[in-house]
Amino acid sequence: MNHTERTPEPRGRFLDLGAHQQPRRGSADPYVARLDTPPAGGTPPAGGTPLMSMRRPPRPTTPSTTPVSPAHSGTPPPRIGAIQSESMPASRRSSLLPPGLDSRRSSLTKKSLTDLVQDARKGIKSVTDTSMKAGQKNPFAYVKDKTVSVSGHMKDATVGASQWVASQTSKTAKAAMEQAKSGLSIGEKLTLFTVEKISTFSRKGFTHVFMFLILAGYTALGALLFIALEAPHENEEKQDIEAERTRLVEALWEHHVQNQGLNASRWEGMIYGLLRPYDEQLYHSWSVGISPDTEDRVWTFWKAMFFCSTITTTIGYGHISPRTNAGKALTIVYAILGIPIFLILMADFGKLFTRLLKSLFVFVRKLYRTATCRRVRKTRAVQSVKPPSTPSPTPPLAVPESTSTDFEKHEDDDQGQLREREPFLSEERRRNERRKEDKGEEDEGGDDVREKTTGGACCCSSWKRKVSEWCSSLCRRKKAPEPPTPESEEEEDLVIDDNFNLPITLALLILLLYIMCGCFIYTMWENWTYFEAFYFIFISMTTIGFGDYVPKHPAFMMMTTVYLVFGLALTAMCINIIQEKLTDTFRHASVKLKESFGYIMAAASQGEEAALPEGKEVEIAEVHGSQKAKAGANADTVTVKKET
Amino acid sequence: MTLPSFNRMVNNLGGPVRKSTSCCKTFAKILLSHLGLFILVGVYAAVGACLYLTLERSEEEKRRFEKQLISLDISDSKKYIVNYVWFLNTQNLTKADYHLQVMKTLRIFHDFVVKTSSDPNINYDGHVDSWEYDWTFPKSLLFTVTSMAVIGYGHIAPKTYKGRIFTIFYNVVGIPLLLVFLANIGDFFAKSFKYIYSRVCCRWCRLRRRIAEARKGATLLEKRTLWKDSVGYETYMSTAKVEVPIAVNLSVISAYLMMGGAVFSAWEGWDLLTAVYFTLITLTTIGFGDLVPGNSFLDLEDGFMAAVKMAVTVLFCLFGMALLSMCITLMQEQLVNRTRWLLTQLGILEEDIDPMEKYKYKKTKLGTVMETRTERDGNERLQLTNVEEGESTARRPPTVVSISQEVM
């Protein structure tokens, strides 16, 4: 509709653009694709087609004009476009055109570029569609992912946008390659498919899985090295004891043979003298941690693994430690390399767990609102529910932001899982943007819960209701719910946005639960009481690691390692969540502080004698509070920064 | 005091309320300042040490008694062996038999010693009466500080339930407190270190560039004014943006380690490698506890020097950790960037960099174009020196030529 209004005009411009501009590499030029994408109906424009097809290198499978697929023609047209075409004066409309040499006189605005990018996107989408039709399973997931990240920066990235367009062009070329592959045999397709799957998996799970493997490999390597360095020393020590013992016996025999007729007391003194070195040797080996008689050795593989993990986690129980100088030097190097690896892994796992917990939390909430496990569309359809007053007065200069939201909207329909991933990668800016909407949504959600519970919907059993109450209390909705907005019965309008702060209590509860589970397990494994197990876990999780309690069995040692790695990751998750929360409170506090300061300053300027004492006092008290809050938040954020 | 009377007082005095706010503010400021935090940590550690003493000392007396019993047992068994050998002497045995018998008893003796002395609660050392007290004040102080710093040597650990419960609560508070302190100090260090680095090292580069850029007819006076650049507002390699190289950071850390090694090898009688090993194990908070400082301040009766040594040891650990956190702060971004670069080069990580971050732009006569490497950091004079590095050029509308150039 808006396109129909716009497209006829640029024809001429494109013609002379074609004259000046060399054809870019890759068949599907976004600009051209934009031209090709016809108005909603899908009818190609009457004029200009021959010239376009002449400029374009021939495509193997698709027709020369790629029509917008029915699915996409069904999607609502971009809002900005509509606004622009309606509200823009005709003189400015020329700036909406793709760049030509002659458009230099009317300077290219940001808006026109973003518009351009948008159109380019449409072109890519059409290509994607055709390739999907050709049997590919959406090869462009990552392209879209990237698009969102770019769109966030659209505000100041005029040049970046053009850069982006260039990169997209090459992407589109790749798409053409994909299409060319569509004529392959089934086996080849299958291998291609698997290769693609593996590569995407490795891209997604690289940090999580491979980092863990790297750490495990590093630990195993360290264990082998330490065994190589320390085991000979241990053997030597054992042999020393054995030698000392035989020496003692020999000496005793000598005495026995030589001095038969000695009196008992003198003999005793001599024996004591002989026993002393043996005793000392025993004491020494014991202090080194070697028990010579029993067969269990200190530097077996599993124990060495445990030792290495105590280095990297910086727990350092100290029940095993290197004795040789080489071992000590190796420990230094090993710690310097290993600790950063472990820290990175922890940060990564912390984020992963936060993400998992969030999705779980969302799922549970969803379960209560809808009482079903069906997927709920994760769009921001609130805008459609809300009165349409918001979009219309958008001034033309504020377009770029809304453009980014439009991009998201496009993706929501077919990129469910990507969207699910996306919010956690999103920047602070977007979170800020959304906060207001979040509140609104949560209120609506609350209404929904209420409706369900009061209505006594058949699916909801009582325990579910209880937990839902708990959930909603966790959400801490402060505001009383507004009068319910007219909602349609369809589930599609139930909106769940997972871009929110998890309640700290939930995270701490999970951590506590984890520790309690650990306590239970350790009381079974070792001869510890429940409290001793808790003490052990606390000392380990804080990485203090006194080493007065250490699991004895090597298998349990390894299990302890795994348990602690995940425990530390959970701790990192908690810290993550608390950090987010604190950053929030800090921001609020600073805003509040600013407001109250402003008030005070105003009061001061009005004149102190005129100001009301009562109001003044209240204001000052508030300043105190916020000051303290600020200080506290500040300190804590510092802490968290260090910890993470 | 009731509220109205307070109000009246406020009315009468007018001023004091504001004064009290400033008091509160200054108090908070002092508390959060470096010195205030330091004093807070010190007081917390000292109070904790005293409490541990009261909690654990009685238990330790018990353990001392136990240890005496065990030592007596062991010496008894030693006597038994002597008597046994005497008994064997009276028997007429061949050498092989004699060996066998003695070996058997010795093994039994050995097992007995290992079993009884392996109880960690009693520090068996082969003597009956000697007992090294775990919970003297200096040791207890070292314990509180090391447990707050999550080093946890473990050569001393609470043995009673009360002590353990107290440990949990004490550390729940203490660990964040010390972390705040370390982060605070580390931040301060980082700032001052950066400042010093910028003033000392980058100043020279800056000056060279300025002189190179100066007009040929510049007077000596004009050249001399180049020295007076205000901190943080330098156009080239400004203090706010300068990055301390990784190599410098690493050398600072290793210098500190070596210093620790020298100090501890002198005081504790370790060899240099062991002392360096100890320093690293301490500063990374691994804390095996196989080596523990304390020979130099076992008992405070030694006098003033022992106390000084203890204080220096504790402070050395704390400041070392702060220094480590500083260096990590300074290196973090560079390390992340390098790792990403490496991963990209290896093809593991897909290049996912925002174009604006990747390229810097500069303006030429034709329009905005990408900056080349030499232009970005070389000494070549820029066309547009008044554009700050990293400043967005978006507000200047680029011409079409530049775009088509970039697309090419």
Side-chain angles (χ1 to χ4, degrees):
Chain A
M1 17 191 273
N2 48 356
H3 283 284
T4 43
E5 205 177 317
R6 240 191 314 162
T7 31
E9 205 182 344
R11 284 280 156 250
R13 299 212 180 275
F14 264 110
L15 288 182
D16 68 29
L17 172 83
H20 285 289
Q21 232 170 10
Q22 295 103 327
R24 296 181 182 80
R25 67 204 158 95
S27 57
D29 187 343
Y31 299 162
V32 182
R34 176 200 179 276
L35 255 196
D36 289 343
T37 46
T43 49
T49 326
L51 198 134
M52 290 301 126
S53 58
M54 196 179 70
R55 275 217 295 122
R56 189 176 42 240
R59 254 184 230 166
T61 49
T62 46
S64 59
T65 49
T66 44
V68 180
S69 70
H72 283 284
S73 60
T75 56
R79 187 155 35 88
I80 314 98
I83 296 157
Q84 282 164 357
S85 57
E86 283 155 21
S87 62
M88 291 271 274
S91 60
R92 289 196 69 176
R93 219 174 279 168
S94 62
S95 68
L96 286 175
L97 300 176
L101 267 179
D102 49 350
S103 71
R104 202 194 285 175
R105 52 171 190 242
S106 64
S107 64
L108 198 64
T109 54
K110 279 185 264 177
K111 194 194 319 146
S112 67
L113 254 179
T114 52
D115 193 42
L116 192 80
V117 168
Q118 196 182 332
D119 288 347
R121 269 189 50 77
K122 191 161 276 181
I124 289 156
K125 194 168 264 182
S126 70
V127 173
T128 321
D129 281 342
T130 46
S131 63
M132 271 206 278
K133 269 181 215 157
Q136 293 293 328
K137 212 175 177 210
N138 193 8
F140 270 165
Y142 60 97
V143 173
K144 299 205 168 172
D145 201 6
K146 213 170 275 180
T147 316
V148 177
S149 74
V150 170
S151 68
H153 295 276
M154 202 52 82
K155 252 185 270 178
D156 50 354
T158 322
V159 193
S162 68
Q163 191 68 38
W164 178 84
V165 168
S167 71
Q168 290 305 311
T169 323
S170 65
K171 292 271 160 53
T172 330
K174 269 188 207 164
M177 282 296 289
E178 292 286 335
Q179 278 184 351
K181 278 177 197 164
S182 66
L184 297 173
S185 70
I186 296 171
E188 283 164 325
K189 259 186 200 170
L190 202 70
T191 41
L192 266 179
F193 177 75
T194 46
V195 163
E196 203 171 88
K197 275 285 158 192
I198 287 168
S199 67
T200 48
F201 171 73
S202 68
R203 212 179 296 125
K204 273 182 199 167
F206 169 73
T207 35
H208 310 315
V209 178
F210 288 82
M211 283 293 291
F212 192 74
L213 287 182
I214 283 171
L215 188 75
Y218 187 72
T219 313
L221 181 78
L224 290 177
L225 281 175
F226 275 111
I227 285 173
L229 286 178
E230 290 288 329
H233 175 256
E234 194 190 357
N235 288 341
E236 260 174 41
E237 200 77 28
K238 284 190 175 185
Q239 278 163 7
D240 274 1
I241 289 173
E242 205 61 40
E244 190 69 33
R245 193 180 291 148
T246 47
R247 202 187 57 75
L248 173 68
V249 174
E250 286 290 335
L252 279 176
W253 176 251
E254 288 286 308
H255 279 274
H256 172 59
V257 172
Q258 280 173 10
N259 335 313
Q260 285 286 355
L262 272 166
N263 66 337
S265 63
R266 261 198 74 190
W267 198 83
E268 233 170 67
M270 280 171 71
I271 295 292
Y272 270 123
L274 285 175
L275 265 178
R276 178 148 304 137
Y278 177 60
D279 208 17
E280 272 164 12
Q281 177 67 38
L282 269 188
Y283 175 63
H284 173 251
S285 64
W286 174 77
S287 69
V288 165
I290 293 166
S291 57
D293 272 356
T294 47
E295 275 309 303
D296 65 302
R297 286 163 176 273
V298 175
W299 293 100
T300 59
F301 182 71
W302 294 114
K303 281 186 181 174
M305 283 276 274
F306 189 60
F307 167 71
C308 289
S309 59
T310 59
I311 293 180
T312 49
T313 52
T314 75
I315 294 175
Y317 288 123
H319 66 299
I320 306 171
S321 54
R323 298 292 159 188
T324 60
N325 275 349
K328 282 171 184 171
L330 179 65
T331 310
I332 292 176
V333 177
Y334 193 79
I336 286 173
L337 290 179
I339 292 171
I341 292 179
F342 183 77
L343 283 182
I344 292 168
L345 183 80
M346 275 309 99
D348 185 58
F349 269 36
K351 262 182 213 160
L352 179 74
F353 283 172
T354 319
R355 202 179 291 170
L356 282 179
L357 190 62
K358 271 186 178 177
S359 56
L360 197 74
F361 190 64
V362 165
F363 178 74
V364 170
R365 275 206 314 194
K366 193 168 64 189
L367 205 66
Y368 292 118
R369 295 200 185 157
T370 62
T372 50
C373 296
R374 270 161 62 183
R375 277 192 76 83
V376 178
R377 207 175 56 148
K378 296 194 174 182
T379 49
R380 310 210 277 143
V382 193
Q383 289 175 345
S384 65
V385 173
K386 278 175 184 171
S389 60
T390 27
S392 50
T394 329
L397 277 178
V399 163
E401 279 100 333
S402 44
T403 313
S404 70
T405 65
D406 249 24
F407 282 168
E408 285 158 26
K409 221 170 206 170
H410 274 298
E411 267 137 35
D412 286 338
D413 302 316
D414 43 9
Q415 290 295 315
Q417 65 272 55
L418 266 180
R419 281 282 292 120
E420 206 174 294
R421 222 151 51 81
E422 210 280 326
F424 304 105
L425 306 171
S426 69
E427 316 79 29
E428 293 272 308
R429 199 191 317 154
R430 279 191 51 202
R431 196 172 296 148
N432 289 344
E433 243 175 56
R434 283 199 177 183
R435 188 151 293 128
K436 294 167 199 166
E437 284 162 331
D438 258 354
K439 259 176 198 164
E441 279 166 27
E442 278 189 354
D443 287 345
E444 280 173 19
D447 286 346
D448 196 60
V449 169
R450 201 146 306 173
E451 275 170 22
K452 287 273 181 195
T453 45
T454 49
C458 51
C459 319
C460 281
S461 54
S462 63
W463 66 270
K464 268 185 182 177
R465 209 173 300 149
K466 263 177 199 167
V467 185
S468 80
E469 274 161 23
W470 176 71
C471 267
S472 55
S473 74
L474 279 178
C475 292
R476 286 190 196 148
R477 281 188 289 272
K478 290 167 200 164
K479 284 180 192 172
E482 291 158 19
T485 46
E487 269 182 277
S488 57
E489 277 86 355
E490 285 172 67
E491 274 189 43
E492 281 205 315
D493 281 328
L494 283 176
V495 174
I496 290 161
D497 193 333
D498 42 9
N499 204 345
F500 57 95
N501 282 338
L502 270 176
I504 294 177
T505 43
L506 186 69
L508 287 182
L509 204 74
I510 283 175
L511 186 66
L512 210 66
L513 217 69
Y514 187 76
I515 291 175
M516 289 300 168
C517 278
C519 288
F520 187 67
I521 291 168
Y522 278 109
T523 46
M524 287 203 305
W525 281 353
E526 306 283 332
N527 271 336
W528 296 341
T529 63
Y530 200 77
F531 175 73
E532 277 172 333
F534 183 78
Y535 174 72
F536 163 73
I537 291 173
F538 177 82
I539 292 296
S540 304
M541 289 271 229
T542 49
T543 72
I544 294 176
F546 287 136
D548 46 353
Y549 287 96
V550 175
K552 297 263 171 1
H553 197 273
F556 295 158
M557 279 186 180
M558 284 322 291
M559 292 310 291
T560 306
T561 311
V562 175
Y563 177 81
L564 286 181
V565 164
F566 283 98
L568 288 172
L570 270 180
T571 320
M573 180 196 79
C574 281
I575 289 166
N576 249 356
I577 289 168
I578 292 172
Q579 190 180 18
E580 271 178 25
K581 186 87 184 171
L582 280 179
T583 334
D584 258 21
T585 37
F586 177 55
R587 200 180 297 127
H588 282 303
S590 63
V591 166
K592 223 176 197 176
L593 194 71
K594 231 177 240 169
E595 279 172 7
S596 48
F597 262 138
Y599 187 87
I600 285 177
M601 292 314 279
S605 64
Q606 272 175 13
E608 280 153 28
E609 70 283 351
L612 290 170
E614 194 129 5
K616 205 174 174 185
E617 189 203 327
V618 167
E619 274 311 307
I620 283 157
E622 214 174 77
V623 169
H624 275 238
S626 50
Q627 181 83 31
K628 267 175 202 162
K630 186 187 173 186
N634 204 353
D636 282 347
T637 35
V638 167
T639 319
V640 164
K641 206 200 309 171
K642 207 256 165 180
E643 274 174 4
T644 46
Chain B
M1 195 186 288
T2 53
L3 199 65
S5 70
F6 183 69
N7 279 344
R8 215 181 310 131
M9 209 180 77
V10 168
N11 268 337
N12 291 340
L13 296 175
V17 174
R18 184 161 305 155
K19 211 167 207 174
S20 81
T21 64
S22 69
C23 265
C24 198
K25 221 187 286 175
T26 45
F27 180 70
K29 228 176 223 172
I30 286 170
L31 204 68
L32 286 174
S33 72
H34 311 300
L35 194 69
L37 264 178
F38 180 70
I39 289 169
L40 193 67
V41 166
V43 167
Y44 190 75
V47 167
C50 289
L51 283 172
Y52 272 116
L53 275 187
T54 57
L55 282 174
E56 293 285 332
R57 198 57 189 262
S58 59
E59 174 76 11
E60 199 179 3
E61 292 296 339
K62 266 186 220 162
R63 282 194 289 130
R64 182 185 178 178
F65 184 63
E66 242 172 71
K67 185 238 167 185
Q68 275 178 354
L69 286 183
I70 281 172
S71 313
L72 284 176
D73 271 1
I74 288 175
S75 63
D76 274 354
S77 63
K78 231 190 261 178
K79 252 178 213 160
Y80 166 77
I81 284 180
V82 170
N83 284 330
Y84 184 71
V85 172
W86 176 251
F87 164 74
L88 283 181
N89 267 356
T90 58
Q91 242 80 4
N92 271 333
L93 290 170
T94 60
K95 192 182 176 183
D97 264 351
Y98 187 78
H99 262 242
L100 202 72
Q101 296 285 342
V102 173
M103 270 298 200
K104 220 168 99 187
T105 37
L106 276 184
R107 255 180 218 284
I108 292 168
F109 169 67
H110 184 101
D111 279 347
F112 178 71
V113 169
V114 166
K115 212 178 83 188
T116 48
S117 60
S118 64
D119 186 358
N121 288 342
I122 32 161
N123 310 320
Y124 178 68
D125 57 349
H127 304 285
V128 178
D129 279 331
S130 67
W131 179 258
E132 216 173 81
Y133 276 103
D134 277 353
W135 298 101
T136 58
F137 184 75
K139 281 190 171 184
S140 173
L141 190 68
L142 190 73
F143 169 77
T144 48
V145 171
T146 50
S147 64
M148 273 200 292
V150 303
I151 297 171
Y153 288 127
H155 66 301
I156 306 171
K159 299 289 197 296
T160 60
Y161 273 88
K162 276 183 289 178
R164 280 171 186 164
I165 293 169
F166 178 65
T167 306
I168 290 175
F169 285 107
Y170 184 75
N171 284 324
V172 162
V173 179
I175 291 170
L177 182 69
L178 201 77
L179 278 179
V180 168
F181 169 68
L182 287 182
N184 198 334
I185 296 284
D187 214 35
F188 174 68
F189 279 1
K191 261 182 203 156
S192 39
F193 187 56
K194 209 170 171 183
Y195 177 80
I196 290 168
Y197 176 78
S198 163
R199 291 294 95 189
V200 173
C201 302
C202 304
R203 179 118 204 193
W204 189 72
C205 307
R206 232 176 272 141
L207 194 76
R208 282 286 303 269
R209 175 167 165 133
R210 291 274 207 83
I211 288 172
E213 280 176 358
R215 280 177 287 108
K216 279 199 174 165
T219 58
L220 194 69
L221 193 77
E222 213 170 309
K223 270 183 185 168
R224 197 169 291 159
T225 53
L226 295 176
W227 282 96
K228 299 175 187 167
D229 48 6
S230 52
V231 180
Y233 293 99
E234 304 94 342
T235 44
Y236 177 68
M237 290 178 83
S238 71
T239 309
K241 280 172 195 165
V242 84
E243 280 178 342
V244 182
I246 293 175
V248 172
N249 281 312
L250 286 182
S251 58
V252 164
I253 290 175
S254 47
Y256 196 78
L257 282 182
M258 292 318 280
M259 195 178 88
V263 168
F264 285 114
S265 64
W267 283 0
E268 308 282 336
W270 300 327
D271 60 295
L272 191 69
L273 179 80
T274 310
V276 169
Y277 163 79
F278 162 76
T279 318
L280 186 99
I281 291 298
T282 302
L283 292 192
T284 52
T285 74
I286 294 174
F288 286 131
D290 51 346
L291 301 166
V292 175
N295 280 339
S296 48
F297 51 91
L298 267 184
D299 40 352
L300 279 180
E301 286 92 62
D302 279 9
F304 182 66
M305 267 317 284
V308 166
K309 277 181 182 175
M310 187 192 74
V312 168
T313 308
V314 170
L315 286 184
F316 183 85
C317 294
L318 286 185
F319 279 83
M321 287 163 76
L323 198 80
L324 214 64
S325 86
M326 166 201 106
C327 286
I328 288 169
T329 316
L330 287 179
M331 286 191 295
Q332 207 169 26
E333 202 160 313
Q334 298 174 61
L335 278 179
V336 166
N337 284 341
R338 293 211 175 174
T339 321
R340 188 172 291 158
W341 175 83
L342 188 72
L343 289 180
T344 316
Q345 290 296 310
L346 290 175
I348 297 167
L349 193 76
E350 191 142 313
E351 206 163 340
D352 195 27
I353 305 164
D354 183 47
M356 275 311 274
E357 281 172 22
K358 196 175 163 191
Y359 302 104
K360 295 253 158 58
Y361 295 93
K362 68 160 190 169
K363 205 180 172 193
T364 62
K365 284 168 197 164
L366 289 175
T368 320
V369 295
M370 261 176 272
E371 214 176 41
T372 59
R373 189 167 279 277
T374 46
E375 279 167 342
R376 209 178 305 159
D377 45 22
N379 211 1
E380 203 174 303
R381 202 169 175 189
L382 288 178
Q383 292 283 319
L384 206 73
T385 40
N386 60 344
V387 173
E388 280 270 308
E389 198 183 352
E391 188 193 352
S392 172
T393 46
R395 76 175 85 112
R396 297 179 185 80
T399 50
V400 179
V401 178
S402 67
I403 290 171
S404 62
Q405 274 173 0
E406 277 154 29
V407 168
M408 293 313 294

